[in-house]
Amino acid sequence: MAQAGAANLGMGVLHGIDTHGFNGVLVRLTIPPLWLGLRADTASPFLVQIASELDDQCPDTTTWQFWNGEQWLALHVPDIAS
C-alpha cells in the first residue's frame, strides 16, 4: 500500500476528492503526517503554501484527506482566494 510506505518514511500522503465525489488525486509531501493532523493551525505558513499549490494544481478538488498511518482523515486547509 503506497500510503503506508510513505507514512513509514515520514512523508505525508494526501488524496483529493473532486466536485463529483470521486477520488482522483494522490499527492506525496515531504511533511510528516503528524504535521497535517487535526490540530494543525490553518494559518500556519506551511498549510497556506500547501493549500495554494493544491488549489493551483488541482482546482476541481474540493476535499483533501491525509493518511495518518492507519486511516484517511480530513485535511483542514485554509481557503485560498482564486
Side-chain angles (χ1 to χ4, degrees):
M1 183 177 267
Q3 59 265 38
N8 289 338
L9 296 173
M11 294 177 64
V13 179
L14 307 179
H15 79 113
I17 301 169
D18 70 13
T19 56
H20 304 291
F22 297 110
N23 295 331
V25 179
L26 185 67
V27 177
R28 290 188 181 95
L29 304 171
T30 57
I31 296 171
L34 178 65
W35 291 10
L36 301 171
L38 296 175
R39 297 186 186 272
D41 178 3
T42 56
S44 169
F46 83 89
L47 274 181
V48 171
Q49 181 66 32
I50 289 170
S52 178
E53 290 179 16
L54 292 174
D55 188 57
D56 288 346
Q57 295 175 18
C58 309
D60 293 333
T61 301
T62 58
T63 303
W64 290 98
Q65 297 179 334
F66 72 98
W67 183 254
N68 75 348
E70 297 177 8
Q71 63 184 336
W72 291 106
L73 297 173
L75 176 64
H76 302 285
V77 294
D79 290 330
I80 300 298
S82 298

